[in-house]
Amino acid sequence: MLYLIGLGLHSLDDLSLGGLKALKESDKVFVESYTSFHTLDLKELEQLCGKEVVALERAGVEEDLVKNLIEPAKTETVSLLVFGDPLVATTHASIITEARKAGVDVHVIHASSIVSAVGECGLQVYKFGRVATLNLPQEGYAPTSAYDLIKSNKDAGLHSLILLDVKSEEGKYMTVAEGVKELLRLEGEKRGGLFSHETMLVACARLGAQDSVIRYARAGDLLTADFGGPPHALILPGKLHFTEEEFLENLK
Ligand SMILES: C[S@@+](CC[C@H](N)C(=O)[O-])C[C@H]1O[C@@H](n2cnc3c(N)ncnc32)[C@H](O)[C@@H]1O
């Protein structure tokens, strides 16, 4: 049996009782540490579930999927913990496909996710379009697809959740200010009329934590704003309902 268990957005308090029960039943427990930043205390988690918890980096999950997870799950109960919800903005559906192909039963235990927590910004979740991701700058790689995706959401009147890349293995994450800078750079390249210094954006950090921050501000002002530690995200609102407008006014 293979469990995919969501850790939720912030601390161990976000782990569900069902998740904890599955961990206690497990012979092997892994945590995937690369798709988001989390203030997880591994020792506290080990005490809670009464066994060793092994952190896996990207290669440990993607390249060594069969060796680390699927083979052991044929005879034992194996759990993989994932930050947020295990199936939101990750490629972990492929783990389920591969496990089922190998005859392994999979059970998913869901948890709080950026995709639902974004409702805290006052925008109706059913009015969001496709989720975009901005990547940290990489030598010779400057994709523009996020811009096209945000443009098609905006043209349809939909809000855009813009995830900001994390490379937790390297301790790097994109800040709100860097994300806005990248959006303005993309505007300079694509010229679709989406972003200027005057564009109003919602910026948020560490949703779900006691010290979470949410602000509705001009892009020009966000360029110099400090939102503290990760993770950060941005939202370009689409067509606003008057109740959403009222909510956003209070975030200025
Ligand atoms: C690749 S996604 C993984 C999402 C995760 N599986 C989930 O369900 O929330 C990670 C990105 O989501 C955003 N994010 C995740 N948690 C967040 C939080 N608590 N506050 C703000 N943004 C967050 C950040 O942009 C981060 O880089």
Side-chain angles (χ1 to χ4, degrees), residues 176-192:
V176 161
E178 288 165 341
V180 173
K181 194 170 158 210
E182 176 63 4
L183 292 174
L184 293 171
R185 184 194 72 76
L186 288 170
E187 180 62 48
E189 208 169 302
K190 306 285 280 191
R191 300 198 177 280

Side-chain angles (χ1 to χ4, degrees), residues 13-66:
D13 290 347
D14 295 328
L15 179 67
S16 68
L17 286 177
L20 184 57
K21 191 162 160 249
L23 291 177
K24 286 186 172 164
E25 277 169 21
S26 296
D27 300 295
K28 289 195 165 80
V29 177
F30 297 97
V31 58
E32 171 271 82
S33 57
Y34 58 88
T35 53
S36 199
F37 263 96
H38 196 284
T39 49
L40 179 70
D41 181 338
L42 215 59
K43 284 274 163 286
E44 195 186 344
L45 176 60
E46 287 181 332
Q47 268 173 9
L48 208 59
C49 63
K51 61 200 54 138
E52 188 192 8
V53 177
V54 178
L56 290 178
E57 296 191 346
R58 187 181 296 276
V61 176
E62 293 179 357
E63 288 159 33
D64 292 329
L65 174 65
V66 173

Side-chain angles (χ1 to χ4, degrees), residues 9 35-36 83-85 88-89 113-114 163-164 166 206-207 231-233:
L9 282 173
T35 53
S36 199
F83 299 139
D85 186 278
V88 172
S113 167
I114 180 61
L163 302 180
L164 303 179
V166 291
R206 302 175 302 286
L207 291 182
H232 295 184

Side-chain angles (χ1 to χ4, degrees), residues 31-32 34 39 51 68 78 94 98 105 109 111 135 139 150 162 170 173 190 198 244 247:
V31 58
E32 171 271 82
Y34 58 88
T39 49
K51 61 200 54 138
N68 285 334
V78 178
S94 63
E98 291 309 313
D105 279 340
I109 298 178
N135 294 106
E139 191 76 21
I150 298 167
I162 306 166
E170 298 166 33
Y173 65 95
K190 306 285 280 191
E198 299 311 314
E244 294 176 310
F247 199 110

Side-chain angles (χ1 to χ4, degrees), residues 93-237:
S94 63
I95 298 178
I96 302 180
T97 307
E98 291 309 313
R100 288 190 177 145
K101 269 196 228 160
V104 170
D105 279 340
V106 183
H107 189 68
V108 181
I109 298 178
H110 295 281
S112 56
S113 167
I114 180 61
V115 166
S116 52
V118 79
E120 218 187 313
C121 302
L123 300 172
Q124 294 167 16
V125 170
Y126 68 83
K127 284 173 58 192
F128 276 80
R130 287 176 59 200
V131 177
T133 300
L134 294 179
N135 294 106
L136 281 158
Q138 260 178 287
E139 191 76 21
Y141 180 65
T144 56
S145 53
Y147 187 95
D148 301 330
L149 195 155
I150 298 167
K151 175 100 172 78
S152 64
N153 288 341
K154 185 76 178 176
D155 291 345
L158 300 172
H159 310 316
S160 296
L161 170 60
I162 306 166
L163 302 180
L164 303 179
D165 198 11
V166 291
K167 292 220 174 350
S168 49
E169 286 152 346
E170 298 166 33
K172 289 186 189 162
Y173 65 95
M174 189 182 267
T175 63
V176 161
E178 288 165 341
V180 173
K181 194 170 158 210
E182 176 63 4
L183 292 174
L184 293 171
R185 184 194 72 76
L186 288 170
E187 180 62 48
E189 208 169 302
K190 306 285 280 191
R191 300 198 177 280
L194 275 185
F195 300 105
S196 73
H197 280 64
E198 299 311 314
T199 305
M200 292 300 286
L201 291 161
V202 182
C204 62
R206 302 175 302 286
L207 291 182
Q210 290 291 337
D211 66 345
S212 65
V213 185
I214 308 173
R215 270 186 64 198
Y216 182 49
R218 287 172 64 248
D221 293 334
L222 293 173
L223 279 173
T224 52
D226 180 1
F227 277 70
H232 295 184
L234 288 165
I235 299 134
L236 177 67

